[in-house]
Each structure stands twice: as structure tokens, then as C-alpha cells.
């Protein structure tokens, strides 16, 4: 083997080494948004637990009637059931994200797609809870404020009520999407950018 062949091999090894270190640098860049997502998940878990604990005291603060208390605690039990399922799925994903090294593109891809699924689950849970609460508010109007509710219905047209319901659903959807983006979406976009850069190279 002559000197020129040795030089070519040396240059090839140097180029390969620089590619590996460049890829590793990009993979390390993904750690920051992933760490931020994990921190947000942890905070969200405790916020939701605190909110569920606060909900127990709402009937005593608002001084509901016996009939409405029963409806409220049935509603509360349903909300807790849906939330427990969500907590289980989110917690399992959170723990699994720490079990892997995050030092390969495959692991980052796993995190990205699993997090996308969890965000959709998060949004679905929000919609479910909001509509359960709307259902409870309807029961409240029918049980506690039946006469006031009847007067409202006689004064307003059905088209106006349906239009308000539709606009309320749109506002709830918009708030949910924006909140999910604020908490997780923007960081997940940074992870996707790293994945795209790795794919490009």
C-alpha cells in the first residue's frame, strides 16, 4: 500500500468521524426540548391533581341541594375515571421516556410519535371533561334554577341558543389547541426539526 492510499483512507476516516460527531451533536440538541416536555408533563400532573382535589369542595362552597349534590358527585366520579385513564397512559409514557438513552435517532423518533399520540389523548380528555361539565351545568339549571331557565328559554329563540352552543364549542376547541401547543407543541416541533436535519444528512 503506497502513501497516496494511506492518505485517502485517513481522509475517509476523518470525514466519517466528523459526520458521527455532527449527528451526535444534533441528537444532543433534541434533549433540551425533550427535557422541557418532561418538565411540563410533571407540572401538569400536579396541577390536575390539585384541581381534582379542589373539585371535591365545590358543592360545599356553592351550597348545592341534596339532589344536585348527587348529580355533582356522579359527574365528579366520571371525570376522575377519564382522568385516571389519561394519567396512567401519560405516566407510563413519561417513565418510558427516561428508560431509553435518547442517544439514537430511533429513540428520538419513538419519543416524537408517542408524544404526538399523547397530545391527541390530552386534547380528547379536555373535550370530554368540558362537555361533562357542560352537562352538569345543564342539570344545575334544570334542578336549581328551573324557573329562571324556563324564562330564558321563552325569551330566546332556539336558533340563538344553538348558535351560542356552536360558538362555545369552537372557543373551547381553540383554547384547547392553543394550550396543547403552548405546553407541548412548540417543543415537539423543535424535536421534529432535529429529526428532519438527521434525515436530510
Amino acid at each position: 500500500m503506497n502513501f497516496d492510499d494511506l492518505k485517502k483512507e485517513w481522509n475517509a476516516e476523518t470525514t466519517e468521524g466528523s459526520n458521527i460527531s455532527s449527528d451526535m451533536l444534533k441528537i444532543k440538541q433534541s434533549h433540551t426540548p425533550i427535557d422541557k416536555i418532561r418538565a411540563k408533563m410533571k407540572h401538569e400532573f400536579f396541577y390536575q391533581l390539585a384541581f381534582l382535589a379542589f373539585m371535591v369542595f365545590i358543592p360545599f362552597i356553592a351550597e348545592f341541594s341534596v339532589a344536585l349534590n348527587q348529580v355533582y358527585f356522579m359527574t365528579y366520579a366520571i371525570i376522575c375515571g377519564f382522568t385516571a385513564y389519561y394519567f396512567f397512559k401519560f405516566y407510563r409514557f413519561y417513565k418510558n421516556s427516561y428508560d431509553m438513552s435518547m442517544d439514537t435517532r430511533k429513540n428520538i423518533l419513538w419519543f416524537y410519535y408517542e408524544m404526538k399520540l399523547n397530545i391527541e389523548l390530552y386534547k380528547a380528555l379536555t373535550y370530554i371533561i368540558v362537555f361533562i361539565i357542560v352537562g352538569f351545568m345543564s342539570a344545575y339549571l334544570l334542578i336549581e334554577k328551573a324557573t329562571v331557565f324556563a324564562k330564558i328559554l321563552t325569551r330566546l329563540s332556539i336558533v340563538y341558543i344553538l348558535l351560542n352552543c356552536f360558538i362555545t364549542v369552537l372557543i373551547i376547541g381553540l383554547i384547547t389547541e392553543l394550550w396543547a401547543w403552548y405546553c407541548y407543541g412548540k417543543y415537539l416541533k423543535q424535536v421534529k426539526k432535529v429529526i428532519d436535519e438527521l434525515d436530510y444528512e
Side-chain angles (χ1 to χ4, degrees):
M1 186 180 281
N2 61 27
F3 179 72
D4 288 333
D5 291 336
L6 284 170
K7 191 175 178 183
K8 281 178 187 174
E9 280 187 26
W10 176 266
N11 287 336
E13 284 176 13
T14 307
T15 307
E16 190 181 327
S18 67
N19 284 340
I20 289 168
S21 62
S22 174
D23 286 353
M24 286 306 293
L25 188 65
K26 284 186 172 55
I27 287 167
K28 293 292 180 194
Q29 283 175 5
S30 69
H31 283 240
T32 304
I34 287 170
D35 289 337
K36 285 179 181 175
I37 288 170
R38 286 175 179 150
K40 289 273 185 185
M41 287 170 71
K42 195 173 181 180
H43 292 144
E44 184 103 19
F45 175 75
F46 290 115
Y47 293 150
Q48 289 194 18
L49 275 182
F51 180 70
L52 285 174
F54 171 73
M55 281 181 72
V56 172
F57 300 101
I58 289 175
F60 307 108
I61 295 166
E63 297 180 351
F64 291 157
S65 65
V66 175
L68 194 62
N69 258 348
Q70 291 175 344
V71 174
Y72 178 82
F73 282 111
M74 283 170 57
T75 305
Y76 180 72
I78 293 167
I79 288 172
C80 285
F82 279 112
T83 307
Y85 174 76
Y86 160 76
F87 277 170
F88 172 72
K89 297 287 263 185
F90 227 41
Y91 179 75
R92 197 168 67 174
F93 165 70
Y94 178 82
K95 291 300 281 183
N96 287 341
S97 75
Y98 275 107
D99 288 341
M100 52 190 191
S101 64
M102 282 294 167
D103 285 336
T104 65
R105 179 186 170 277
K106 192 175 180 181
N107 283 338
I108 296 169
L109 270 173
W110 175 87
F111 183 90
Y112 176 75
Y113 287 110
E114 283 295 315
M115 190 63 207
K116 277 190 84 168
L117 286 172
N118 276 280
I119 288 171
E120 292 306 313
L121 181 64
Y122 173 84
K123 289 193 276 194
L125 177 78
T126 304
Y127 294 133
I128 289 166
I129 288 174
V130 166
F131 289 118
I132 290 170
I133 290 170
V134 168
F136 171 75
M137 294 304 292
S138 302
Y140 171 77
L141 290 171
L142 290 169
I143 294 169
E144 299 284 296
K145 307 286 182 184
T147 53
V148 176
F149 188 59
K151 284 179 184 177
I152 291 169
L153 286 177
T154 54
R155 291 183 182 180
L156 300 175
S157 70
I158 192 71
V159 176
Y160 180 78
I161 292 168
L162 288 173
L163 189 63
N164 274 289
C165 289
F166 179 72
I167 291 167
T168 303
V169 168
L170 284 180
I171 290 168
I172 290 166
L174 182 64
I175 291 168
T176 302
E177 293 293 327
L178 289 173
W179 183 253
W181 169 256
Y182 171 75
C183 285
Y184 305 109
K186 59 183 179 180
Y187 303 117
L188 204 59
K189 192 176 180 182
Q190 292 171 13
V191 175
K192 181 68 166 75
K193 189 180 175 185
V194 171
I195 293 167
D196 289 343
E197 285 174 4
L198 289 168
D199 285 341
Y200 179 74
E201 290 181 2

